[in-house]
Amino acid sequence: MTFDKLKPQIEVLLKKEDLEVKDKLTQVCELLEQNIPYYDWVGFYFKNGNKEELKLKSFAGEPTDHEIIPFGRGICGQVAVSNKNFVVPDVKAQNNYIACSIHVKAEIVIPLFVDGENIGQIDIDSHTADPFSHEDEVFLQWVNEKVAEIL
Ligand code: SME
């Protein structure tokens, strides 16, 4: 399914009144994981209180051992401090990388801002090599902007 077709579905999901934020985000993860063939694991991490670490809030795909990630560690921890998108076409080429599954070949992490502050991120793992384009970045930035509105 194209990004343009997914956008209205995401907007409807995030507006559901009878769901907690965690469950809304889980449904967003599931929608993305089920409809974009090269999105094999999708999760939202957020800053864990006032600790210098990320905590996994919602996800779709295989459960991960890495529910807590210290700032600076792995692709996710680097984005927590850089405030910048991180697109990894080949995870084997990264020194500072936390492997969640032997099947993962590529990863994209996009920071999520509320009032200009980097408070979390969307993280996507792919079993396809080098699958992400600028369009993925633009789309995922849009997803994070919509999520920021309900936090
Ligand atoms: N690979 C990530 C860790 C999180 S998992 O992909 C779910 C990283 O290097 O930060």
Side-chain angles (χ1 to χ4, degrees):
M1 200 179 292
T2 63
F3 294 143
D4 279 345
K5 284 197 176 137
L6 288 169
K7 281 181 175 183
Q9 297 184 44
I10 289 167
E11 285 180 308
V12 168
L13 263 179
L14 292 175
K15 278 183 194 143
K16 282 191 184 175
E17 282 177 5
D18 51 342
L19 274 186
E20 290 182 14
V21 168
K22 184 182 164 91
D23 298 322
K24 289 183 189 180
L25 296 186
T26 301
Q27 292 193 10
V28 170
C29 292
E30 287 168 351
L31 187 73
L32 297 181
E33 191 260 335
Q34 286 162 13
N35 288 285
I36 304 178
Y38 54 94
Y39 286 15
D40 293 294
W41 188 94
V42 181
F44 285 97
Y45 284 92
F46 289 94
K47 186 172 182 350
N48 191 12
N50 53 16
K51 294 183 189 161
E52 295 287 292
E53 64 184 29
L54 294 161
K55 185 177 180 193
L56 184 63
K57 189 177 184 84
S58 307
F59 71 97
E62 291 293 306
T64 174
D65 290 339
H66 304 287
E67 294 198 1
I68 300 283
I69 299 178
F71 279 16
R73 280 218 50 220
I75 308 303
C76 296
Q78 291 178 77
V79 169
V81 291
S82 74
N83 307 324
K84 299 235 165 60
N85 296 349
F86 201 155
V87 182
V88 181
D90 174 9
V91 295
K92 287 207 178 78
Q94 294 293 320
N95 297 324
N96 189 357
Y97 169 70
I98 303 167
C100 283
S101 145
I102 51 160
H103 303 295
V104 176
K105 295 201 168 100
E107 178 161 3
I108 185 169
V109 179
I110 307 290
L112 193 158
F113 300 96
V114 172
D115 296 331
E117 191 188 346
N118 178 1
I119 59 137
Q121 52 191 239
I122 188 166
D123 174 22
I124 294 162
D125 286 340
S126 182
H127 299 172
T128 304
D130 194 7
F132 303 115
S133 69
H134 182 63
E135 280 192 3
D136 292 272
E137 287 186 68
V138 173
F139 171 63
L140 295 170
Q141 281 169 208
W142 179 89
V143 172
N144 281 355
E145 282 165 20
K146 289 289 151 187
V147 169
E149 290 173 10
I150 65 152
L151 296 176

